[in-house]
Amino acid sequence: QMVYRCKTIKMFLYILGLVAVWFVYRWYRETKRVSNKEDKYVYITGCDSGFGNLLARHLDKLGFRVIAGCYTGKGEDELKKVSSDKLTTIHLDVADSESVSKVAAFIKTLVGQKGLWAVVNNAGISVPSGPNDWLTVEDFKPMIAVNLLGVIDVTLSVLPLIKKAKGRVINIASVCGRISPFGGPYCVSKYGVESFNDSLRIDMTPFGVKVLCIEPGFFKTNVTDTAMLKNNFIKLWERLPQEVKDDYGHGFLDTNKISYGDLMKVVGCMEHAISALYPRTRYSPGWDAKFLWLPMSYMPSWLSDTYLIKSKPRPKISAL
């Protein structure tokens, strides 16, 4: 019995050693970066604020030629003030195919025969969000137009340029593309991004194009601004029929506080996806993503449902 235990311990240590060696090898491999960054063009959507704005500034400092799509003129002006002359800003509305086509034509002229090294589909919105029976189908359409159809439209508009450079498509999804902690179109749109990302990755592999997905946890950006989400909730509540209000009760408006992390954790993953010689297929920045949401997405539905139901405010006439 003692010999058996010793063999078991040796086997365990052997496996542990192999895992440690693999992690060291992966770390070393992922430190390698692409060359000639000054010749590589990167197209980023949603650069007015948040992840997109920080990424544009970060890549500009690293020497990449950034094409920053901004929704507002103010966003363009403020980004120009803190960037070098190599960074180009341009007006972009990802929900407007004409705007997307105009930007794609501009990029084609700008990059020439070099092609486009990367497109980062970062633009997104998060409201209206709430219980599904508070919403109408018209509430779903604008967010899906931006978060999903915008991603598809922008990607397809520059895909020939990406293929020419054997470059990368980076899609900003969310942990909400793996599990749905709340109702409304946000999770629906992010599930769609995940599906588009996976199918495009398979399609583009023969052409040497890498398609990569970022799945952040909850970080403090304009998309997750607590005051904005609270106001959205109140607006939805005020238009509800009295019967639905009676079902939920006014106490349901008490929203849960969300833990936020350092935005540069996400930007670091985005930069690695763009500049690493051997990028990961998926990135999950944020401790909540790694240790709560993603593990929960693999759990049996009854278990994840139990957690999600208990973590939310309960309707007044709840049967639970």
Side-chain angles (χ1 to χ4, degrees):
Q1 192 175 5
M2 191 62 140
V3 173
Y4 175 75
R5 285 181 180 176
C6 288
K7 286 183 177 180
T8 302
I9 292 171
K10 283 182 179 180
M11 180 61 71
F12 175 75
L13 292 175
Y14 178 70
I15 294 171
L16 197 63
L18 286 177
V19 171
V21 169
W22 180 80
F23 271 107
V24 170
Y25 169 72
R26 189 180 75 162
W27 169 81
Y28 171 73
R29 192 169 183 260
E30 291 183 349
T31 59
K32 297 182 178 182
R33 293 295 193 269
V34 296
S35 58
N36 302 321
K37 286 184 276 191
E38 64 279 358
D39 295 328
K40 290 179 166 58
Y41 288 88
V42 180
Y43 173 26
I44 310 169
T45 68
C47 292
D48 297 80
S49 62
F51 300 135
N53 185 276
L54 289 173
L55 179 65
R57 291 158 57 184
H58 184 59
L59 293 181
D60 181 52
K61 290 177 181 178
L62 293 177
F64 285 95
R65 293 188 174 275
V66 177
I67 305 163
C70 296
Y71 185 66
T72 65
K74 182 182 177 183
E76 288 188 64
D77 293 339
E78 291 184 352
L79 186 54
K80 285 177 182 176
K81 291 177 184 178
V82 294
S83 306
S84 73
D85 294 337
K86 290 185 300 181
L87 184 142
T88 303
T89 62
I90 190 167
H91 171 72
L92 173 66
D93 179 358
V94 299
D96 180 358
S97 288
E98 185 178 348
S99 175
V100 170
S101 296
K102 284 182 179 179
V103 174
F106 168 79
I107 292 173
K108 185 177 181 180
T109 303
L110 182 66
V111 304
Q113 294 302 312
K114 292 178 181 178
L116 181 63
W117 175 248
V119 59
V120 182
N121 287 302
N122 167 75
I125 58 176
S126 62
V127 293
S129 288
N132 285 300
D133 57 340
W134 289 22
L135 304 169
T136 68
V137 70
E138 295 303 318
D139 293 319
F140 281 73
K141 291 177 181 179
M143 195 184 300
I144 290 174
V146 173
N147 292 5
L148 177 55
L149 299 182
V151 168
I152 296 171
D153 199 3
V154 167
T155 301
L156 297 182
S157 73
V158 295
L159 198 55
L161 301 174
I162 297 280
K163 290 166 71 176
K164 183 179 290 187
K166 290 184 169 56
R168 287 143 192 219
V169 177
I170 294 96
N171 295 313
I172 312 305
S174 167
V175 291
C176 295
R178 303 287 289 271
I179 191 167
S180 299
F182 50 85
Y186 186 77
C187 297
V188 174
S189 66
K190 292 303 181 180
Y191 268 80
V193 171
E194 292 272 357
S195 179
F196 175 66
N197 181 89
D198 291 349
S199 61
L200 186 67
R201 185 180 65 250
I202 295 167
D203 289 342
M204 290 296 106
T205 297
F207 299 100
V209 173
K210 292 180 170 63
V211 180
L212 315 162
C213 192
I214 316 288
E215 302 169 331
F218 289 96
F219 288 81
K220 189 172 185 179
T221 67
N222 286 350
V223 171
T224 58
D225 180 69
T226 305
M228 178 194 67
L229 295 175
K230 181 73 173 179
N231 288 336
N232 156 75
F233 232 52
I234 292 172
K235 286 180 181 178
L236 291 178
W237 175 265
E238 288 175 347
R239 76 179 195 188
L240 289 176
Q242 187 59 45
E243 181 183 359
V244 178
K245 289 182 179 180
D246 293 341
D247 286 348
Y248 279 89
H250 201 274
F252 194 83
L253 289 175
D254 296 331
T255 55
N256 294 323
K257 293 183 179 179
I258 302 172
S259 298
Y260 301 109
D262 178 12
L263 296 189
M264 288 306 295
K265 290 180 181 178
V266 180
V267 174
C269 291
M270 296 161 85
E271 181 266 318
H272 189 271
I274 293 164
S275 65
L277 200 58
Y278 303 104
R280 299 183 185 183
T281 302
R282 272 186 165 80
Y283 297 82
S284 303
W287 294 114
D288 60 329
K290 289 182 176 68
F291 297 109
L292 177 62
W293 302 114
L294 291 184
M296 194 179 297
S297 70
Y298 294 108
M299 292 180 183
S301 295
W302 67 267
L303 192 57
S304 60
D305 286 359
T306 299
Y307 172 83
L308 293 172
I309 291 168
K310 287 187 176 181
S311 66
K312 295 173 69 173
R314 194 164 291 181
K316 185 177 180 180
I317 64 167
S318 172
L320 300 176

